[in-house]
Amino acid sequence: MAGAFLVAVNSAGVEAKVLEEVMVTAQKTSASTQDTPIAITGMTGDALEKFGFQNANDISAQVPNMQVSGPYGDVQPIFSIRGVSMSDYSSNQASPIGVYTDEMYMGATYTHGMNFFDVERLEVLRGPQGTLYGKNTTGGAVNIITKSAKVGDEFSFNMKAGAGNYGSQAFDFGIQDTVIEDTLALRLGYSSSRHDGYVENAFGGSNLSQLDFQGARLSAQWLVTDATTIDFKYTNSGNDSLANGSRNEPRGDLSKNPEQAQAIAASGVGAYTEKPNNGFIDNTGYSRPAHGLDRHEQQDDYTGPLVVDNESALMKIEHITESYTFTSISTYSEADYRQKQNVDGGPDGLLHIRWGVQTDAVSQDLRVAGNFDNGFSFISGMYYATEYQDMHNIYEIYETPPDTRVAATFPGAAAFYPFLLDFGGIDQKMITDKTSYAVYSQFRFDATANLGFDFGIRYTADQIDLDYLNISRFTYDGEPVGTWVPGNNTGTDEPFIVPTVGSNGPLETDAIIAGLADGSITPQDLASNAESGYTHGPYTTDSAPRLTANEKEWTGKLGVDYRLSEDLMVYASYSKGYRAGNFNGGVYYEVRDFENAYAEPEFLDAYEVGMKSDLLEGSMRLNAALFYYDYTNQQFINVVGVSNFLENAGGSEILGFESELMWAIGERLVVNFGLGLLESEYTELTLSDTQTLNDPDDNVDLSGNELISAPKVSGNISLDYDVLVTDAGFLSFNVNANYQGEQWYSAYNDKAGYDKIKQDPYTLVNSRLTWRSYDNSYSVALWGKNLTETEYDGYAINLQAGFGFDYFQEGAPRTYGLEMTYRWE
């Protein structure tokens, strides 16, 4: 969709509506979306208001082949574009979708929703952006362009206030003026939004999944000379509210070994038979479905605040001569994130996590752009960035002892039971330091008035230092017990070594009973467990050995476009992008060498053909693209038992198509339509079979499986109708819908017990009724989202092997509200 507005023109005395050009800066220079030969969706601030976009999670509603999930609330979205996604919940990982605010790269994923206020324009670039943007854009880029002070603009003021269900309240304002004529302009933007949460805690108290956000931005523009401009922006934003609730779906099947389960229950030893169940339990005997809770209700004993603080400053210096434009962009940001999460989503102490991370980043971009009379233009630049990240996570595990019926529901876990009776917690501290240098150039040659060529190349040198890593064990009271990393000298990357049965390994309970009965296992075999126990050594605050990774990568683009007419352009391109490697931010239990501690960079080669057209005398716009991706070393998180690992998939392929249609039908009706089609598969991927915990060498071949968050079909539609037009103003009605086909949230798809880690097809329907004055000075709007109360999950993880349940994050229920806007210009 190139835009969402219409302008009225008069031709031969007949008034007709044509579609407005939307100007974007996706290629670092201002150009219309229809003149930019890449797949891009651009939306103005007014379009965002029309669609009711309130936060970054709303972006995918009108962008084909894009999905957004919010596992940690509105302030921390995870983006997926064309099947390229991030399934890693570790806070030290960078998304393959680059997110930029006013050209400032936001590396910390937990900040991706923190700048989405006082927005002038939004741009979503699909496909790898390996020249002008560089690393960590294998899937694309999301550009958030905020409103800026402009010298010469007169005093203006805007204010918006709203309220809705779940106690939602919102207030925004912006004020700007030229305070020194022809020299200095200032703007102040502020946003506040909160709601009481839509997940009810059956134990009483405040709801979960709350929002409490505030953000302010000061913008200044200084015209130093007629040729030199300095723009400065300072942003301070934060969220402090109760974190998202987690839905626990138990997978311990009591009918798997019913006689054994009944015998354990009858023994009265460690079986929580007083807890109701529906035939399934998690590893503490909890069965959420047996309590009659709806999807937005939980029995929560632990969830606490989710706090994100974000502070950033940006200075852009631009000097324009007759032939060249010189640009300098300097940025600095500080951000920290803390969350107290009840991962097990129930009343027991099964899995509680306290997340914590602090990120400091600095970047400098210097570039020059030029246009020449012979049809040649270019952009060349140098880029430097650093990112320091200090992560501190605490995992509290099995404070409630496991239910002994786990021996029947998950027989492979029976040998782990003694070690979970007083496991305590895991204290994980990790410090990384990243430095990146790049030089880049993109050249444009218009061979004729209709034929153009693009060539882009970028060289990036990255260094990633693992400066500190310590993983230790502590009691539930916080007293240190021992240290795994460093300290585990057993040669086993597990928290403990379970008892073995002779040379047969840690057999399942029923196999031991059968072996004793037929004589293949003797009592002496059961006693030969001298090597069993926890693998940590004495407690220490020392670090694992320092590791350093150096990457030097070439990326870029080749493109050609041809104008068949003034209103029709076709293009073809090849582009290459890469996502930097990273050290495993998950929990493991033995000092690893570089090869096993570091996930390699991922690469994506993209081939694309597309078209952009304006039809029916400018009243219709149709854009389409067909693409093929060759994806190598895709990074993703893999959870095995009580450990998680950052993995590389050997290879995958994606074939896709997308189209966007915008059509002004008559004087009052405008239709937007988007369609996305994907065929994706892993061509090379083997992971551990998490159903056979006692056999670490048992793997599952996942080649042929679909990629994560890559539905075969997705689409969106929007209808705008001016219900009433008067001299005082007009009443407009918008209804829009977003469809997502079936998608998997795990690379396992339906193998190895992961068949529930998916989302069935669903559609979200939103609407907005707006009265706007003729001079645009005020408006009143009534809005609603998810009007059909569709129930869906935006995120899921299989935690069966370690904890006996699947973890889900709910999508938001139906919300609605009223808002009023006033503008003075």
Side-chain angles (χ1 to χ4, degrees):
M1 178 178 58
F5 279 139
L6 303 172
V7 292
V9 299
N10 197 294
S11 176
V14 179
E15 188 177 83
K17 285 190 174 181
V18 298
L19 303 178
E20 179 190 36
E21 277 192 320
V22 175
M23 306 301 290
V24 295
T25 52
Q27 300 292 288
K28 307 298 185 181
T29 58
S30 181
S32 165
T33 55
Q34 295 305 97
D35 294 330
T36 306
I38 63 173
I40 179 174
T41 296
M43 283 180 275
T44 64
D46 287 337
L48 298 176
E49 181 179 342
K50 180 190 72 173
F51 290 120
F53 286 9
Q54 297 171 328
N55 53 64
N57 289 354
D58 293 328
I59 292 175
S60 66
Q62 294 298 314
V63 180
N65 276 329
M66 184 178 188
Q67 291 75 40
V68 181
S69 61
Y72 302 124
D74 294 340
V75 297
Q76 192 174 347
I78 293 180
F79 298 106
S80 173
I81 297 179
R82 292 178 168 180
V84 180
S85 64
M86 174 182 170
S87 65
D88 189 353
Y89 51 79
S90 299
S91 52
N92 73 319
Q93 181 64 305
S95 171
I97 313 301
V99 178
Y100 300 81
T101 301
D102 299 313
E103 297 193 58
M104 178 180 66
Y105 174 60
M106 303 176 68
T109 56
Y110 60 87
T111 66
H112 286 178
M114 298 301 292
N115 285 349
F116 200 78
F117 66 95
D118 206 33
V119 175
E120 177 181 305
R121 189 174 68 255
L122 175 70
E123 302 170 1
V124 179
L125 288 65
R126 298 186 289 279
Q129 308 296 316
T131 303
L132 299 176
Y133 294 86
K135 70 172 185 177
N136 300 335
T137 57
T138 44
V142 175
N143 288 339
I144 302 168
I145 296 90
T146 65
K147 294 179 180 179
S148 303
K150 298 292 184 184
V151 171
D153 285 355
E154 297 180 353
F155 176 82
S156 64
F157 175 80
N158 63 273
M159 180 178 66
K160 179 169 65 176
N165 62 334
Y166 296 105
S168 67
Q169 302 173 24
F171 178 74
D172 302 274
F173 79 79
I175 183 171
Q176 71 179 57
D177 194 12
T178 300
V179 295
I180 302 177
E181 187 176 358
D182 298 328
T183 302
L184 180 65
L186 299 176
R187 176 179 178 83
L188 177 64
Y190 171 81
S191 178
S192 171
S193 55
R194 67 172 309 277
H195 60 69
D196 294 336
Y198 51 80
V199 175
E200 181 181 351
N201 189 350
F203 290 160
S206 300
N207 285 0
L208 313 179
S209 301
Q210 296 178 356
L211 175 69
D212 191 353
F213 171 85
Q214 289 191 81
R217 181 178 297 113
L218 175 65
S219 170
Q221 185 178 77
W222 177 25
L223 294 188
V224 183
T225 69
D226 290 342
T228 304
T229 304
I230 297 179
D231 287 282
F232 174 80
K233 290 187 177 181
Y234 169 78
T235 302
N236 194 319
S237 57
N239 178 78
D240 185 355
S241 59
L242 278 184
N244 272 21
S246 308
R247 193 177 85 249
N248 173 328
E249 294 294 345
R251 301 300 183 207
D253 187 354
L254 291 169
S255 67
K256 182 183 294 185
N257 296 293
E259 294 181 358
Q260 184 181 5
Q262 292 171 9
I264 294 172
S267 72
V269 180
Y272 302 118
T273 54
E274 77 282 1
K275 296 180 180 180
N277 70 76
N278 69 334
F280 292 86
I281 59 173
D282 68 15
N283 285 5
T284 59
Y286 178 62
S287 180
R288 181 185 182 279
H291 291 270
L293 305 174
D294 66 30
R295 286 174 61 96
H296 292 101
E297 186 180 13
Q298 292 170 15
Q299 295 173 315
D300 188 275
D301 69 330
Y302 187 82
T303 296
L306 186 158
V307 179
V308 182
D309 293 309
N310 179 59
E311 186 175 9
S312 64
L314 176 150
M315 183 170 66
K316 179 178 181 180
I317 304 174
E318 193 167 66
H319 179 71
I320 302 175
T321 69
E322 185 174 343
S323 300
Y324 301 100
T325 299
F326 299 90
T327 304
S328 167
I329 298 178
S330 309
T331 74
Y332 173 75
S333 66
E334 293 183 0
D336 63 83
Y337 159 64
R338 303 182 303 280
Q339 180 182 5
K340 188 178 179 184
Q341 186 185 20
N342 183 23
V343 181
D344 61 65
D348 301 314
L350 177 55
L351 177 57
H352 298 159
I353 302 179
R354 283 176 276 167
W355 305 98
V357 64
Q358 178 179 342
T359 306
D360 298 334
V362 173
S363 72
Q364 176 63 56
D365 190 9
L366 295 170
R367 64 176 183 259
V368 57
N371 293 282
F372 302 99
D373 294 337
N374 59 3
F376 178 78
S377 61
F378 74 95
I379 300 176
S380 296
M382 298 181 295
Y383 180 79
Y384 165 79
T386 64
E387 181 183 274
Y388 172 87
Q389 195 166 70
D390 186 348
M391 184 175 73
H392 185 192
N393 300 328
I394 295 175
Y395 306 78
E396 297 171 349
I397 298 174
Y398 282 101
E399 189 169 5
T400 298
D403 191 306
T404 49
R405 287 173 293 178
V406 171
T409 58
F410 291 99
F416 302 162
Y417 186 93
F419 302 97
L420 301 178
L421 289 175
D422 191 27
F423 186 94
I426 300 171
D427 190 344
Q428 176 198 27
K429 299 176 182 178
M430 180 178 185
I431 297 176
T432 56
D433 202 346
K434 303 177 183 180
T435 304
S436 182
Y437 301 87
V439 291
Y440 59 90
S441 289
Q442 181 157 302
F443 304 93
R444 170 79 180 178
F445 176 58
D446 292 314
T448 70
N450 297 323
L451 178 64
F453 297 91
D454 289 300
F455 170 69
I457 189 167
R458 186 182 187 107
Y459 177 75
T460 304
D462 286 323
Q463 178 174 314
I464 307 174
D465 297 319
L466 178 59
D467 290 333
Y468 182 85
L469 176 64
N470 181 282
I471 301 176
S472 297
R473 179 178 167 224
F474 63 92
T475 68
Y476 297 116
D477 294 327
E479 296 296 322
V481 176
T483 299
W484 282 291
V485 179
N488 177 2
N489 298 315
T490 64
T492 301
D493 194 8
E494 299 289 345
F496 39 73
I497 299 175
V498 299
T500 59
V501 182
S503 59
N504 295 312
L507 295 182
E508 299 174 2
T509 305
D510 52 355
I512 294 175
I513 295 173
L516 289 171
D518 63 20
S520 60
I521 295 176
T522 68
Q524 290 74 20
D525 292 330
L526 296 178
S528 59
N529 297 314
E531 295 183 356
S532 66
Y534 288 100
T535 57
H536 58 67
Y539 177 76
T540 179
T541 59
D542 292 344
S543 171
R546 185 176 186 271
L547 298 175
T548 297
N550 288 287
E551 301 167 358
K552 296 177 174 62
E553 307 295 347
W554 291 94
T555 56
K557 174 184 178 179
L558 291 171
V560 58
D561 55 86
Y562 185 75
R563 281 206 169 273
L564 296 169
S565 69
E566 183 180 348
D567 297 323
L568 175 60
M569 177 180 70
V570 294
Y571 66 90
S573 67
Y574 160 77
S575 55
K576 184 180 184 69
Y578 101 100
R579 182 186 185 191
N582 208 353
F583 288 101
N584 191 341
V587 174
Y588 50 90
Y589 303 93
E590 182 185 32
V591 171
R592 295 184 172 194
D593 57 21
F594 177 82
E595 182 179 352
N596 293 312
Y598 184 72
E600 296 178 358
E602 66 180 32
F603 298 91
L604 195 148
D605 293 286
Y607 305 84
E608 182 170 329
V609 294
M611 58 161 284
K612 297 196 171 186
S613 64
D614 287 317
L615 309 171
L616 302 180
E617 298 182 347
S619 65
M620 175 185 287
R621 182 164 294 155
L622 176 62
N623 298 339
L626 178 69
F627 55 91
Y628 168 76
Y629 287 175
D630 184 5
Y631 204 173
T632 307
N633 283 349
Q634 181 191 13
Q635 301 170 18
F636 62 93
I637 198 76
N638 184 34
V639 180
V640 181
V642 292
S643 305
N644 46 2
F645 306 100
L646 187 61
E647 306 267 10
N648 288 108
S652 54
E653 296 178 346
I654 303 172
L655 177 65
F657 170 81
E658 63 202 18
S659 64
E660 296 176 289
L661 172 70
M662 184 177 183
W663 186 12
I665 305 174
E667 290 295 318
R668 295 189 176 187
L669 178 63
V670 182
V671 178
N672 286 277
F673 175 76
L675 173 66
L677 304 175
L678 291 175
E679 284 289 340
S680 67
E681 69 169 3
Y682 293 102
T683 56
E684 182 183 345
L685 178 61
T686 301
L687 296 177
S688 300
D689 187 343
T690 58
Q691 291 184 312
T692 54
L693 289 175
N694 294 330
D695 185 358
D697 297 322
D698 190 5
N699 296 320
V700 181
D701 182 4
L702 303 179
S703 57
N705 279 10
E706 294 178 16
L707 271 67
I708 299 166
S709 296
K712 290 181 179 293
V713 181
S714 61
N716 55 269
I717 188 170
S718 171
L719 303 177
D720 275 293
Y721 183 66
D722 290 339
V723 178
L724 178 66
V725 178
T726 71
D727 292 339
F730 58 94
L731 182 68
S732 63
F733 176 70
N734 171 266
V735 59
N736 62 85
N738 175 267
Y739 170 81
Q740 300 290 338
E742 180 183 79
Q743 56 186 303
W744 298 99
Y745 292 138
S746 164
Y748 286 87
N749 288 189
D750 59 353
K751 297 180 180 178
Y754 283 75
D755 54 295
K756 303 295 186 182
I757 308 300
K758 68 172 184 177
Q759 174 57 53
D760 292 330
Y762 69 94
T763 300
L764 299 179
V765 179
N766 312 310
S767 186
R768 188 179 184 89
L769 183 66
T770 305
W771 167 263
R772 189 185 301 271
S773 66
Y774 190 78
D775 61 0
N776 203 33
S777 63
Y778 74 91
S779 62
V780 180
L782 179 66
W783 59 269
K785 292 186 175 183
N786 191 8
L787 295 177
T788 57
E789 293 193 277
T790 298
E791 295 181 341
Y792 66 101
D793 297 311
Y795 194 78
I797 305 175
N798 180 326
L799 296 176
Q800 296 177 33
F803 305 99
F805 70 94
D806 286 338
Y807 163 94
F808 293 91
Q809 283 287 336
E810 297 284 344
R814 179 168 58 196
T815 56
Y816 51 85
L818 177 71
E819 67 180 36
M820 295 174 284
T821 303
Y822 174 76
R823 303 174 182 87
W824 194 92
E825 297 179 349

